[in-house]
Amino acid sequence: MKKNIGIGIVSFMIISLFALILIVPQSREIFKSLSSTHPFIMGFIKFGLLATVGELIAARLAKKSWLLPDYIGLRALIWGLIGIAITFMMKSYTFAVIGLIEQHVLPGQNCPPIAALFLKAFYTSAIMNLSFGPTFMAFHKCTDKLLELKAKKSHCSVSNVVSAVDWSGFVSFTLFKTIPLFWIPAHTITFMLPAEYQVIMAASLSIALGIILNIKK
C-alpha cells in the first residue's frame, strides 16, 4: 500500500458526486432512468466506485492515513462484478418472495398494506442475506486474499488462498454479526422503498459494504 493524501480527496469527490446526482432533481431522474433501463451496467458502476471507496475509508480508519491498496484497478473490477451479481439477485429474490406470498407459502397476502410491505421486504432481505450473502462474501474474501498474496509475491494457488483466509473471523464476525445485525435490517428498509429508490439506497449501502467487509481483518 502507498500513502497518498490525494486518495482522500478523490474518495470525497466520488461520494460528493453521487450525493449531488441524487440531490439535484434532474440528475436524479436520469440516474433512476439509467438504473431501470441498464440495471447491470449501473450496478457495476455503483459498486465498482462506491464499494472501492468503502475499502479506502476502511484502510483510513484502520491505519490512520490514506493508503492506496495494491491492485486497486482489479479490486474495483471485482466490486463491479459483485455489483452485477447483487443487482441480479435483488431482483430475483424480490420476484421469488412475491410468488411465495401469492402461493400462500409465506404469510402476508391478507395483511394490512404496511404489514404486507414489511413482511415482503423482511422475507426478501432475510432469504437473500442468509443464502446468497455468505456466498458472495466468501468469494470476496478469497479474491481479496488472492490480491494480498500477489502483492507479497507469494504462491497464489487455490489451496494457498483458501487456507490464508481467516475463516474463523469470517464466520464469527461477518456471518454471525454483520448479517443479522446490519444487513438484514438494512435491506429490509431497502426493500420497503419504492423500486426507483431501492437503487439509491443500494448505492449508499455499498459504501458500508466495503467498510464492513474490510474493517475486520
Side-chain angles (χ1 to χ4, degrees):
M1 291 189 176
K2 299 178 180 179
K3 293 185 178 181
N4 190 339
I5 188 62
I7 298 170
I9 297 173
V10 173
S11 298
F12 175 78
M13 290 175 62
I14 290 174
I15 294 174
S16 298
L17 176 61
F18 272 88
L20 184 63
I21 289 173
L22 299 178
I23 290 171
V24 177
Q26 293 84 353
S27 59
R28 183 171 65 243
E29 291 303 316
I30 295 174
F31 181 83
K32 288 160 54 179
S33 175
L34 289 174
S35 295
S36 297
T37 55
H38 305 286
F40 299 118
I41 294 175
M42 291 299 290
F44 181 92
I45 293 172
K46 286 181 292 182
F47 280 83
L49 290 176
L50 293 175
T52 302
V53 168
E55 284 203 44
L56 299 176
I57 294 174
R60 173 65 179 84
L61 294 173
K63 304 297 183 180
K64 309 303 181 185
S65 62
W66 289 103
L67 300 170
L68 183 66
D70 297 303
Y71 302 107
I72 187 64
L74 281 176
R75 292 177 185 275
L77 175 62
I78 291 169
W79 275 121
L81 295 175
I82 289 174
I84 293 175
I86 290 176
T87 301
F88 176 79
M89 288 300 177
M90 288 182 72
K91 293 181 178 296
S92 299
Y93 280 96
T94 297
F95 289 126
V97 166
I98 290 173
L100 291 172
I101 293 175
E102 291 177 349
Q103 296 297 318
H104 302 285
V105 177
L106 293 173
Q109 189 172 22
N110 298 319
C111 295
I114 187 63
L117 177 63
F118 171 78
L119 286 174
K120 179 173 71 69
F122 174 74
Y123 294 149
T124 307
S125 176
I127 295 172
M128 183 180 73
N129 280 290
L130 293 174
S131 56
F132 170 68
T135 302
F136 104 82
M137 290 176 181
F139 169 78
H140 180 265
K141 282 290 183 184
C142 290
T143 57
D144 195 40
K145 185 59 65 175
L146 171 64
L147 297 180
E148 183 181 320
L149 292 176
K150 283 177 65 68
K152 295 178 179 178
K153 308 300 182 182
S154 301
H155 186 53
C156 298
S157 65
V158 173
S159 60
N160 278 6
V161 171
V162 173
S163 62
V165 174
D166 177 14
W167 293 112
S168 176
F170 173 76
V171 172
S172 63
F173 177 75
T174 304
L175 298 190
F176 288 174
K177 292 182 181 178
T178 65
I179 287 180
L181 299 178
F182 179 81
W183 287 118
I184 291 179
H187 281 135
T188 297
I189 296 172
T190 299
F191 287 117
M192 289 184 70
L193 298 174
E196 61 269 23
Y197 291 105
Q198 290 179 12
V199 175
I200 297 174
M201 185 69 167
S204 302
L205 288 176
S206 61
I207 296 179
L209 182 67
I211 294 174
I212 288 176
L213 289 183
N214 289 275
I215 199 68
K216 184 73 173 178
K217 291 290 187 179

